[in-house]
Amino acid sequence: MEPVEVPRRSLLTAVTPAKDGAPATGLRALPLLPALTPAGRRSRVPPGRSGRVFGELRMRWSFDLTCRDADATAKVNFQERAGEILIHVDYRPFRGGLILNRLTGGEWQEEKLLWTPKEGNPADTINVTVETFESGRIVLRHPGGTENVDWTDAHTLGTCRIWLEGTVVRGAEAAEDSAELRGWRLYEKPSGFPCGNAKLRAKSEPGVLEPGLSFIIRARNEARTVEACIRSIAGLGDEIVFVDNASEDGTGLIAEKLKSGIFELKTFSYPHRLPKVGAAHAREVLSGGSNTLGHFYNWCLAQSGRMNFVKWDADYIAIRQNLAEMIGLYSLRTRADNFALWFSGLEVYTDGSRLWVDRESRHAEFRAFSLQHGTQWVNLPPWEEIDQRSLYRAQKLFYRKPVYLEIFRLDGTEFDDRGLFTEDRRDAERQEIVATFRKSGRLPERFREIASLTDAGLAETPLSAQEIELSHHFDKRFRARPKIHARKTKTLHPAEAVPQNEYAVFILSCQKNADRQRVIRESWGHDLDRLGIPHYFIIGRPAQPTQLIGDVLYVNCPDSYEFLASKVLAAIEYSMSVMNVDYFMKIDDDCVFDPYRFQAAEYSKYDYVGGGFAGGDNAGIDWHLGKCHNEQLDLVPYFREPGFNWVGGQYGYMLSRKARYLLVKQADRMRSSLYEDYIVARILAERGIEPVFSFGSQRSALYSDQWDEMSNVCLISDVPSAAKMREVYRKFVGEDAGDRWAWEFTGSHEAIWDWMDIEAVRQKLGV
């Protein structure tokens, strides 16, 4: 029995078929999609559907096709392995309407017009649905009615690969989720062919790397841009690792001379000639060779000595204003957590004397990462990529202003050294632009001539709408669960079907509690690292801006007890303005947390949920007595509304984006409260958000309770000392807990990180 894949929801854009009718793999950052085999799910055709019902419904695919301008088109294709396209649906509202066709024997058949939108008022988005029935019949439902598809059968259609062009959203279906399936975070198999080295593997050991940011530059025959490239980033990071790859035009010598004035620059030589992207690279990878782009990139990365790095190309010229802003905003020189930062730039074409910027530039990549947390490249047949495990686990950040200018030469030598992969639409378009210019001297109308690479308007030039859309696509893709193969049931759970509901843990602490912080780092903080869950200690540092240094979020307020609410508010504001997580989890530094058990927690349905109850009929609260820096507060009783209940701060609580937004809107009230947990509940209750006590099947307990006799406990609070915290962790969680949970998942499941169908690529490239 073959694995069955449950239908998924996905957004794919800008994929163009090759001239022979075969599908392109799309943008380089959107690899070739594997064959999709939808699951048969029995259900009746919904009441009110037009058209004949052919027995029981077996399979159903639904698509929303969107076209918002005169040139737009949106297409759906069902393709057999042999290459024939059994169903080709093309929506072009301004040029006909909804078209049905098929590719048979390498030739397109006669188009059939299914539906024409109202004249002068075409619909932006329409829905088409393909349904198969037990009888073997197939129908296509569309705004104009139904169409029988009688040239194929349901079984054949069910084995087809589905690929999309333009803006197409595939309809959502119910998808299974469970604590067992959430164990994918512990799956260690890489997304491609591994190509690391011992020096690189050692980088993730504690104490090996220094804090800071390294720019990694790989170059071959870039003498015309290398000096401008390096000077444009000088002083913005802590290290520049420049690797010359057997250049023949003096690139390496130019970089070497710059070291006398750019002191963070380190130069290296990698003398091996590398195969170009595409078939040559695929042959080397699939034969098990080591002369690959992935091996080269990882060798370059191994020369870095800093915790974080940026993948920077030798033909990039920084837009310094935006690059400096991005580095500061995301604390790239000081942070020590696991992250992946997406940023982009503008393409600039030159004939040697004039410059033109492409206002529809597309790059679509994550380019800044944590080396400390093991990020590295793997090989795919046509090229290299960052191991997708890192992208799924890391906190995904996005900076949507142009950070660099990528220089393209119009003299015809642009692709001589790096090669090109024509299945990548961007490379194909660039090649066409260069060829057209050499033939006629013309450039696309979207190009704008600029006076120089320091043109003041470049920093304010917006990224293209398609680039922004792609960034949101990557956010959606990697903040959802990856594809999972359940071996026992032989079920393939699709990617993007279940959001991760990512959360970050903020640990309320202070400078004097360094011993507790150390225990947390060595125990359950390490477990959070293994799962890829970001976590930070909140510590006050008055009169200085909020900044992330290592795993400490320093906030601009005093570090004493009476400012707990101000510290939590500052962390909430940081999570909303800089981070990209769905939930904010607040925990005290006297807790022991089991993040593996918390995998079974339920919180995504609620805005405000916590591990335990506080409140009651007593109107006075005296927990602050003897703890405040201002001793006069010991004489000030704190009153609250009798009978009002809230989540006790010692039990831990989680806040959705909506809840955090409402709290930030009431910032002054937050800052004026002695008790952060009480004022959080008070503000949210006024907005109709009541607390939910317990994390679904999981809950919190006090150290004074008989916690070792309780079931479903994920957090123990009020542990009296750092030594006791270590003792409780060993008994409650266990130092081998991660290995046990990983073994349990990998024994019955496989996480499939990447969408590239290796066998399909092998056949396509003929290797």
Side-chain angles (χ1 to χ4, degrees), residues 13 72-73 89 117 134 147 162 190 196 244 300 344 354 372 380 435 467 539 545 660 700:
T13 61
T73 183
V89 178
E134 285 188 343
E147 182 73 20
I162 299 173
D244 179 60
C300 298
S344 189
R354 301 170 68 187
Q372 172 80 14
L380 296 178
E467 186 80 328
I539 293 179
R660 283 176 279 158
S700 301

Side-chain angles (χ1 to χ4, degrees), residues 164-270:
L164 314 170
E165 301 175 64
T167 302
V168 182
V169 177
R170 186 164 176 179
E173 299 282 346
E176 181 182 347
D177 188 26
S178 66
E180 184 181 34
L181 291 176
R182 295 172 194 168
W184 64 264
R185 286 182 170 273
L186 296 167
Y187 193 72
E188 294 299 329
K189 185 178 178 180
S191 66
F193 297 89
C195 49
N197 55 68
K199 184 176 180 180
L200 183 58
R201 286 190 291 271
K203 298 290 183 180
S204 58
E205 295 296 323
V208 174
L209 294 170
E210 297 180 53
L213 177 66
S214 178
F215 287 89
I216 308 295
I217 305 176
R218 303 122 10 260
R220 173 171 169 76
N221 293 341
E222 296 285 1
R224 285 183 276 191
T225 58
V226 63
E227 181 171 355
C229 168
I230 294 174
R231 290 193 183 280
S232 74
I233 60 175
L236 296 181
D238 301 280
E239 179 182 67
I240 300 173
V241 173
F242 182 89
V243 181
D244 179 60
N245 179 214
S247 293
E248 299 166 347
D249 64 351
T251 295
L253 292 175
I254 296 172
E256 186 73 21
K257 292 177 181 178
L258 294 175
K259 289 196 296 186
S260 61
I262 301 175
F263 305 131
E264 71 270 27
L265 175 61
K266 301 176 181 179
T267 59
F268 302 88
S269 175
Y270 191 86

